Amino acid sequence: MNYRHAYHAGNFADCMKHVLLVLLVQALRRKPAPFSILDTHAGIGRYDLSGDSASRTGEWRSGIGRLLDSATTPDGPLAPYLNLVRQAGAPAFYPGSPQIAAMMLRPQDRLVCCELHPEDSRTLRALFAGNSQVSVHARDGYAALGALLPPRDARRGLVLIDPPFEQPDEFQRLAAGIVTAHRRFANGIVAAWYPIKHRAPVRAFHDSLRDSGLRDIIAVDLTLRPPLDPSRLNGCGMLVAGPPFGFAEQALPAMRALTHLSPDGTGEAAITRIVEE
């Protein structure tokens, strides 16, 4: 309950997560049938980059700030994401995953957001006031996986799990959440963000998914520096269960474009198949 994403909005990890979110929703939009998105740790949905929280850390300046300053190719791998960010008001404001997802919905699609923090859930509800396609629940995101899946109004969709990693057992909780989401929503894509400080916890997380019995899982990793210092956020990853056709081939060049955010040029991007189809 202490985590407030406003301090970190628009940093490199947000950029990475949201680039991949756009690719996943684009894949869902390729078919006319309706889809549903469940965002389990939604935050407030939109962040004022000139506000006190974002200004105090300035993390956005080395993330979305650099991307907007350096973006010169309108048709590059980051273009769809950057176009949405600009439409949402950047660089004054940065859209969180709920706003990005909502901007990509078609009339037949739905978005369900969960946010446990009372003040943040009220802010999120106000953001989507009057939007009948978006519902906001003030509840625990992990509990929502059992309560809100499968969705009532669509047979396909996306589950985005983006926990704050405040608890020491967060990797274990995340692995269990992925298994729950996939088993309750077998036709859905499950995407889960995780931090990379050093390799050991990430390896153990991947191993736990290999042993889970789930099939067709890939991991997309972006590091800005070698993950050797466990006290620093050296990179981040997204595990995707049931990735759509062609997703990995689209994700890799996009992640390589983000390696330019590395302050010393040691950034790396990798896609690993954790479990075969």
Side-chain angles (χ1 to χ4, degrees):
M1 291 291 288
N2 294 324
Y3 179 84
R4 308 301 292 275
H5 189 68
Y7 293 98
H8 313 290
N11 68 1
F12 83 91
D14 253 6
C15 296
M16 180 268 193
K17 173 178 58 185
H18 294 148
V19 166
L20 296 178
L21 172 62
V22 170
L23 292 178
L24 290 170
V25 179
Q26 283 181 326
L28 289 171
R29 287 166 54 98
R30 287 199 289 263
K31 295 181 180 180
F35 61 80
S36 177
I37 300 174
L38 172 61
D39 190 338
T40 63
H41 298 75
I44 65 173
R46 187 172 189 249
Y47 300 90
D48 182 356
L49 296 182
S50 64
D52 179 68
S53 298
S55 298
R56 191 176 302 180
T57 63
E59 291 183 18
W60 69 272
R61 299 183 186 279
S62 57
I64 189 58
R66 284 190 60 188
L67 291 181
L68 292 174
D69 288 343
S70 62
T72 57
T73 55
D75 56 350
L78 303 181
Y81 157 71
L82 291 174
N83 289 338
L84 287 168
V85 169
R86 289 189 178 98
Q87 291 173 32
F93 295 92
Y94 184 79
S97 52
Q99 188 177 22
I100 289 174
M103 293 172 71
M104 300 185 72
L105 296 179
R106 305 163 303 175
Q108 66 268 39
D109 306 321
R110 297 293 180 267
L111 169 64
V112 179
C113 303
C114 296
E115 175 51 51
L116 184 60
H117 194 287
E119 183 179 346
D120 287 357
S121 64
R122 287 193 294 270
T123 301
L124 185 64
R125 187 171 284 114
L127 177 67
F128 292 120
N131 188 335
S132 62
Q133 291 183 265
V134 182
S135 59
V136 177
H137 298 257
R139 67 186 306 166
D140 177 75
Y142 285 120
L145 297 173
L148 300 179
L149 293 177
R152 291 179 296 178
D153 45 14
R155 299 185 62 182
R156 64 194 192 98
L158 168 67
V159 180
L160 177 64
I161 311 174
D162 177 26
F165 276 84
E166 288 186 304
Q167 304 300 323
D169 64 343
E170 199 75 73
F171 271 115
Q172 293 90 334
R173 296 180 74 200
L174 182 57
I178 292 168
V179 172
T180 297
H182 187 75
R183 288 179 177 169
R184 292 189 63 84
F185 190 24
N187 292 330
I189 305 162
V190 181
W193 181 92
Y194 55 88
I196 301 176
K197 295 184 176 181
H198 61 121
R199 289 294 186 190
V202 176
R203 282 197 297 266
F205 172 57
H206 290 176
D207 287 344
S208 70
L209 270 300
R210 290 188 181 96
D211 297 336
S212 69
L214 300 187
R215 308 296 300 173
D216 193 15
I217 303 176
I218 64 172
V220 183
D221 287 348
L222 171 71
T223 54
L224 298 192
R225 61 188 69 87
L228 303 175
D229 183 354
S231 68
R232 302 183 67 184
L233 182 63
N234 298 303
C236 58
M238 183 174 282
L239 187 138
V240 184
F245 177 79
F247 170 73
E249 291 76 14
Q250 289 181 303
L252 188 57
M255 293 301 99
R256 285 173 174 163
L258 290 179
T259 62
H260 297 295
L261 296 178
S262 171
D264 59 4
T266 59
E268 293 186 355
I271 296 182
T272 306
R273 178 156 288 281
I274 304 300
V275 185
E276 296 298 326
E277 297 183 43

